[in-house]
Amino acid sequence: MESFLDTDITYLKGVGPKRAELLKKESGIFTFRDLLYYFPFKYIDRSQFHKISEVNATNAYLQLKGKITSFRTEGTKYKKRLTAKFSDGTGDIELVWFQGVNWAVKNYTIGAEYIVFGKPVVFNRQLSIAHPDIEPAGRFNETDRSAFVPQYTTTEKMKAGYLNSKALQLLTQTMLALPQAKIDETLPQWLVAKHNLLSLDRALKIIHFPNNTSELRLAEYRIKFEELFYIQLGILRLKTGRDKTVKGFVFSKVGYSFNTFYNKNLPFELTSAQKRVVKEIRHDLGSGKQMNRLLQGDVGSGKTLVALMSMLLALDNGFQACLMAPTEILARQHFNTIERMLDGLGVNVMLLTGSTRKKERETLHAELRSGRLHLLIGTHALIEDPVVFYNLGLVIIDEQHRFGVAQRAKLWQKNLHPPHVLVMTATPIPRTLAMTLYGDLDVSVIDELPPGRKPIQTFHYRESKRLGMIGFLRKQIDMGQQVYIVYPLIKESEKLDLQNLEAGFNGMVQMFPPPSYNVICIHGRMKADEKELAMQAFKNAKAHILMATTVIEVGVDVPNATVMVIESAERFGLSQLHQLRGRVGRGEGQSWCILMSSDKLTHEARKRLETMTATNDGFAIAEADLKLRGPGDIEGTQQSGIPFDLKMANLARDGQLLQYVRTVAQEILDDDNMLESEENQILKNQLQKLKSSPTDWSSIS
Ligand code: ADP
Ligand code: MG
């Protein structure tokens, strides 16, 4: 069997070297298996007939029943064109052939009834169908051929090589009709039986040659089930294996630092969600297992505090801890907050970023190696090689979706024995995606904002209403509030970014002139300490307006800033918009988010902005995002190494099935965690195969 499906597509009857080349280049079909898994993107219902009088050129493919009333041949001997008039009593339409003219004239009879299928176009003000699918009406009715005609994606080049949708279906048919054709089951027999699945063999045949919708649904279900099931089985086995083999440091004590901080330094009561999460983390850290936990919490939900308390637990048990943030500004902010919060506790904290001076860096390295430095906070500079810990017990990664898998893995190796790992993210991820992206992590959720926060109000202004926005800002600023104005970052053109930002800045300074007003600006070309200075001025309320590209996208915390203006909001993705909006609404007053966009918007952009004005719920936004864009484009999926180009399943639509197969996979592992039993060998083998494909489960941390 192996050899059959692995056969080079060149050897299929009707293919040959030329078409094989096209199949490989244009659609990635190299083997029989590839062809078999080249699924139709849709099916056309051929049980319906259209009336010609109602046809127009906006119709997609349609089906007509009628008679040819006349033929007309034009052109030269070498470049002939055949036109047939086709009538169904309600009207007529032209059928046109540029190839096979002689054959068509000979084979189609005037006055006989035919079924015609094709896409109508208008040519010379006449409706016509070029190269229609055409067959005698009687034969169609008598045969039990499918009313559902699969449509396969083909390119212009393929069509020119006679590889249209129908040809692809025929090739599949030819392949499956071969005497040696055999499709082996890829799921254990008991699993297929238990869940009432179609066999793989049958499911694949139905996908290409369906008879009706109900069997098609069953076939699709079988294929989706398998796809999602193996992803979950892979992730869960990784987790099970790790839980069993990797021992974790035991942090059994809650000691001086934690207690003193909690009782003396904590400036407010923890929310009950924070309390619950701290408890979950404490449990992990004391369990003897190595923690791999994801902390999800919407922007402003107070994750930093949870991170800090976890680090204090490490410290109380004689370990060092580190916190890695994706930007310098954010790392510095964490450092300042944490240093302030730990005031008087005698904890040594230092900051390491790309701009830490050499001398300071050397001291830091030495302190770290000796163990005198307890907490290290920084950017990805933390994973640079010279950074050696005395005994690192806990690693925390903030805004983890910003880091690649490889970067995370490096921190893991900063101790001979893997430290506990807590990754935090404010990017709300739909549950389905989380189960896949972070399916091997335990998940904690902060689903509650600190008390007293008012929901942010969001408005959408088009460019032509800019003056209205300025008026609103003036009112807010005069009431003592501060404003962020964010410009999109254009990856390809840092120069253009800067120009946009500068133009916007000059405009704003005119509207809000000194000395009454102070407008400042942060951008990527500034040095770290310049940025820091500007940030501080804004934090200390010395500036009314802070303008920036997305450098402040994540994490910045200035409670007195209550207005967020996002310029060219249509250029941002939903999750980014939500992140940016989360920069306000951190104090007790009412906060506002204003989305500025051009007057003309694409349908998708309008949907995004509507979603933003309609809800503040990060998870609802994430779901909308997944539906609008599909999982492949959502931040974090690319780095994950998980193949999101699923052939049949769809994470936006198949959430329930995903949940279901996850429990199925978990039950199997509960009984047989290394998949040792005879009946599970097929699972083990399939996983092995998937592993040797580009998906490498072992690289997901
Ligand atoms: P995020 O989850 O987005 O990282 P932060 O940790 O930056 O959120 O916290 C947002 C703001 O809420 C900070 O100003 C922080 O001091 C404050 N905060 C955190 N927890 C509480 C709490 N339990 N009560 C009141 N304010 C809190
Ligand atoms: Mg944060």
Side-chain angles (χ1 to χ4, degrees), residues 52-252:
I52 294 181
S53 61
E54 289 166 6
V55 171
N56 59 57
T58 61
N59 282 107
Y61 283 86
L62 46 75
Q63 181 168 249
L64 309 167
K65 193 196 291 197
K67 292 169 181 169
I68 294 176
T69 55
S70 65
F71 280 117
R72 187 173 84 237
T73 320
E74 288 156 304
T76 64
K77 189 176 166 198
Y78 301 101
K79 218 177 161 199
K80 262 195 227 172
R81 183 173 76 187
L82 173 69
T83 309
K85 209 166 206 122
F86 186 77
S87 167
D88 69 351
T90 73
D92 46 46
I93 191 168
E94 288 189 342
L95 309 179
V96 184
W97 289 266
F98 303 96
Q99 271 142 8
V101 167
N102 295 339
W103 189 91
V105 174
K106 221 165 41 201
N107 281 274
Y108 300 129
T109 326
I110 290 177
E113 193 163 53
Y114 289 101
I115 291 185
V116 161
F117 179 78
K119 184 171 167 25
V121 293
V122 174
F123 188 70
N124 283 344
R125 276 191 263 152
Q126 168 68 46
L127 269 176
S128 66
I129 298 179
H131 287 275
D133 273 4
I134 171 167
E135 54 191 306
R139 200 172 87 202
F140 182 80
N141 291 337
E142 280 152 28
T143 58
D144 62 348
R145 61 163 284 192
S146 167
F148 290 94
V149 181
Q151 299 294 303
Y152 298 85
T153 309
T154 60
T155 63
E156 285 309 315
K157 276 189 188 153
M158 288 167 76
K159 285 190 189 110
Y162 303 104
L163 282 169
N164 59 14
S165 181
K166 194 169 180 182
L168 284 168
Q169 193 192 20
L170 281 174
L171 288 180
T172 309
Q173 191 172 24
T174 309
M175 171 176 72
L176 291 174
L178 289 169
Q180 69 273 36
K182 193 160 165 288
I183 302 164
D184 279 353
E185 188 49 65
T186 42
L187 287 171
Q189 209 46 59
W190 68 264
L191 194 68
V192 172
K194 185 170 172 193
H195 297 280
N196 288 319
L197 300 174
L198 294 183
S199 70
L200 180 63
D201 178 72
R202 206 161 133 56
L204 287 171
K205 281 174 183 159
I206 291 172
I207 295 291
H208 295 286
F209 309 98
N211 291 304
N212 54 56
T213 28
S214 55
E215 76 171 21
L216 188 58
R217 294 295 158 261
L218 288 177
E220 285 172 354
Y221 182 81
R222 148 77 212 217
I223 309 278
K224 287 178 182 182
F225 184 106
E226 171 170 351
E227 267 188 316
L228 297 174
F229 169 77
Y230 274 115
I231 290 183
Q232 289 302 324
L233 188 69
I235 295 171
L236 289 171
R237 192 172 68 148
L238 177 73
K239 176 171 155 53
T240 316
R242 197 170 55 200
D243 289 352
K244 272 185 59 127
T245 53
V246 183
K247 284 230 167 56
F249 299 123
V250 182
F251 297 178
S252 53

Side-chain angles (χ1 to χ4, degrees), residues 303-304 334 398-399 555:
K303 294 184 295 293
T304 314
H334 279 325
D398 193 20
E399 307 298 348

Side-chain angles (χ1 to χ4, degrees), residues 268-271 274 298-304 450 453 557 586:
F268 31 62
E269 177 85 2
L270 291 182
T271 63
Q274 283 171 320
D298 215 338
V299 277
S301 61
K303 294 184 295 293
T304 314
R453 303 260 175 93
D557 188 33
R586 303 192 148 223

